[in-house]
Amino acid sequence: MAAKYKLTYFPIMALGEPIRFLLSYGKIEFEDERCEREKWPSVKESMPFGQMPVLEIDGKKTWQSLAICRYLGKQMGLAGANDWEDLQIDMAIETVTDLRLKIANYWYETDEAQKEKKKEPLFNETLPFLLPRLDNLVKENGGYLANGKLSWADLYFIAVLDYLNTMVGFDLTKDYPNLAELKNKVLEIPAIKEWVDKRPKTDL
Amino acid sequence: MAAKYKLTYFPIMALGEPIRFLLSYGKIEFEDERCEREKWPSVKESMPFGQMPVLEIDGKKTWQSLAICRYLGKQMGLAGANDWEDLQIDMAIETVTDLRLKIANYWYETDEAQKEKKKEPLFNETLPFLLPRLDNLVKENGGYLANGKLSWADLYFIAVLDYLNTMVGFDLTKDYPNLAELKNKVLEIPAIKEWVDKRPKTDL
């Protein structure tokens, strides 16, 4: 892993943070380029499909947060031991992604009336449906999202959790002991703790 | 691959069709259970995270269309030759997923005024931005989404294309020769052609 890594993303956690978590976990130095919103329109064209995060690996641009994290996870021994285990990891992380998309659909709504309309089903139906099931998945998997052991999905989930929590306005794990325990476990990994202590502080 | 496969999904193509394509490509017999909308509320609770498609493999429920297709792709020799190639496949298919989500965000909007408001940016900004780039990705990859060879991402994309086309009201590949050629190439694979010829005909 002597490759050179440069992450370009907005100056927030959100979808860049799982990449930062995984690189930190692997004790890999990386350039953490944070592109201010004002600069984005002039940068957008140079990004594949006009999106960030983009991770340059030895100058080659890679994009899509989940794709990048799956790749990094493999390099760091955080993938499954076989195809079936990888499937369990992917099922879990796509479920977390569904949760994220449902929350984001509410949070990024710019029409205030529409946002208010989306609030009730999100908070009274979607979250109470998904969160106990996610908590149970972690319980069934011995305290992890999959396979009874730490995987890149756990790092991804906990890395985006602050972002999700800011969007909903509370800690999603507060009533879910297995999710709360997973959060603590990941945040106590020394390399992750070190990163979290030194990273720029942002809400999202 | 003597496992037993049972797919449960709505009686449409949409996110079930990539699974049907991949199983058909592998010449794997599968039970194609189509759950009518009226029955869904009583079935929902029995599905992991209350969603379909669900693919039972030897009685074990698996969920999340992308996760399942990545797994099936590996079984059928349609994954990358190494981690880097798998990353290229994942980047491409997540890009297709972004396209799908943006179209679905418009199509599934139930508020007519809101739907009308979403139409202009989708058709005049999002599609004209994404489609040429996707077409170019296929061009750069020798006629495939990644790595200059057929992968599960190609089958996935072409399997959901009818669904996307119905939602936008035209063939997304019509002005994009590389996408159109990819479509033809996948639909001409004998096992895919056989499936498409015999499958139940639906719009979505």
Side-chain angles (χ1 to χ4, degrees):
Chain A
M1 298 286 286
K4 224 183 133 196
Y5 294 87
K6 178 184 172 181
L7 175 68
T8 309
Y9 192 54
F10 297 107
I12 56 173
M13 295 182 285
L15 295 184
E17 201 62 16
I19 300 172
R20 300 188 189 110
F21 263 45
L22 276 152
L23 290 168
S24 300
Y25 178 86
K27 302 195 168 56
I28 291 168
E29 274 189 52
F30 63 101
E31 191 181 339
D32 189 23
E33 169 95 3
R34 290 167 184 248
C35 173
E36 297 295 333
R37 291 271 165 199
E38 310 85 74
K39 272 181 59 190
W40 174 234
S42 67
V43 173
K44 188 176 164 78
E45 275 293 327
S46 70
M47 294 296 168
F49 296 93
Q51 288 186 323
M52 300 192 293
V54 163
L55 180 68
E56 283 179 51
I57 306 180
D58 282 337
K60 287 183 213 105
K61 286 195 173 91
T62 67
W63 68 96
Q64 286 290 349
S65 171
L66 269 178
I68 293 168
C69 288
R70 185 177 295 104
Y71 173 78
L72 292 176
K74 287 175 190 168
Q75 310 312 305
M76 287 158 201
L78 288 177
N82 51 50
D83 294 346
W84 183 258
E85 285 195 3
D86 277 332
L87 170 58
Q88 309 309 309
I89 291 171
D90 287 350
M91 281 155 44
I93 202 62
E94 292 289 351
T95 301
V96 168
T97 297
D98 274 358
L99 174 68
R100 174 178 67 75
L101 288 171
K102 287 182 163 113
I103 293 172
N105 181 264
Y106 153 76
W107 169 262
Y108 288 105
E109 176 61 63
T110 50
D111 180 321
E112 275 307 315
Q114 284 298 314
K115 190 166 182 174
E116 198 51 38
K117 238 171 94 179
K118 287 175 176 181
K119 196 170 187 170
E120 203 272 335
L122 174 66
F123 287 89
N124 296 340
E125 290 166 37
T126 307
L127 296 182
F129 187 90
L130 284 182
L131 292 173
R133 282 166 177 79
L134 201 57
D135 190 64
N136 191 51
L137 185 73
V138 170
K139 188 181 177 186
E140 282 176 353
N141 282 283
Y144 298 95
L145 278 170
N147 307 315
K149 61 186 175 189
L150 187 73
S151 75
W152 64 268
D154 299 307
L155 267 64
Y156 192 106
F157 173 44
I158 303 308
V160 295
L161 190 57
D162 285 313
Y163 167 57
L164 301 182
N165 288 345
T166 297
M167 289 195 284
V168 295
F170 62 89
D171 182 352
L172 287 167
T173 72
K174 74 181 167 67
D175 297 324
Y176 300 99
N178 298 285
L179 298 181
E181 203 183 301
L182 175 60
K183 179 176 83 170
N184 293 335
K185 214 155 34 186
V186 169
L187 294 177
E188 278 163 14
I189 297 169
I192 299 297
K193 193 178 176 329
E194 194 183 318
W195 165 252
V196 169
D197 285 347
K198 78 174 183 199
R199 70 182 172 186
K201 303 297 171 266
T202 61
D203 287 337
L204 280 182
Chain B
M1 297 285 285
K4 224 182 134 196
Y5 294 86
K6 178 184 171 181
L7 175 67
T8 308
Y9 192 53
F10 297 107
I12 56 175
M13 295 181 286
L15 296 185
E17 201 62 16
I19 300 171
R20 298 187 189 108
F21 262 45
L22 275 153
L23 290 168
S24 299
Y25 178 86
K27 302 194 168 58
I28 290 168
E29 276 189 51
F30 63 101
E31 191 181 338
D32 188 23
E33 170 94 2
R34 290 168 183 247
C35 173
E36 297 294 333
R37 291 270 167 197
E38 311 84 76
K39 272 181 59 190
W40 174 235
S42 67
V43 172
K44 187 176 165 76
E45 275 293 326
S46 70
M47 292 296 169
F49 295 92
Q51 289 186 322
M52 301 193 290
V54 163
L55 180 68
E56 283 179 51
I57 306 179
D58 283 337
K60 287 183 213 106
K61 286 195 173 90
T62 66
W63 69 96
Q64 287 289 349
S65 172
L66 270 178
I68 293 168
C69 288
R70 185 176 295 106
Y71 172 79
L72 292 176
K74 288 175 191 171
Q75 312 312 305
M76 287 157 199
L78 289 177
N82 51 48
D83 294 346
W84 184 257
E85 284 195 3
D86 276 331
L87 170 58
Q88 310 308 310
I89 291 171
D90 287 349
M91 281 155 44
I93 202 62
E94 292 289 350
T95 302
V96 167
T97 296
D98 274 358
L99 174 69
R100 174 179 66 76
L101 288 172
K102 287 181 162 111
I103 293 171
N105 181 264
Y106 154 75
W107 169 263
Y108 287 105
E109 176 62 62
T110 50
D111 180 321
E112 276 308 315
Q114 285 298 313
K115 191 168 182 174
E116 197 53 36
K117 239 171 92 178
K118 288 175 174 180
K119 197 172 186 168
E120 201 274 335
L122 174 67
F123 286 89
N124 295 342
E125 291 166 35
T126 307
L127 296 183
F129 186 90
L130 284 181
L131 292 173
R133 282 167 177 78
L134 201 59
D135 190 64
N136 191 51
L137 184 73
V138 170
K139 187 181 177 189
E140 284 177 352
N141 281 283
Y144 299 94
L145 279 170
N147 307 315
K149 61 186 174 188
L150 187 72
S151 76
W152 64 268
D154 299 307
L155 267 65
Y156 193 106
F157 174 44
I158 303 308
V160 295
L161 189 58
D162 285 312
Y163 168 56
L164 301 182
N165 287 346
T166 297
M167 290 196 284
V168 295
F170 63 89
D171 183 351
L172 288 167
T173 73
K174 74 182 166 64
D175 297 323
Y176 301 99
N178 297 287
L179 298 180
E181 203 184 298
L182 175 60
K183 178 176 84 170
N184 293 337
K185 212 155 35 185
V186 168
L187 293 177
E188 278 162 14
I189 297 170
I192 298 297
K193 194 179 175 332
E194 195 182 317
W195 165 252
V196 169
D197 286 346
K198 79 175 181 196
R199 71 181 171 185
K201 304 296 172 266
T202 60
D203 287 337
L204 281 182

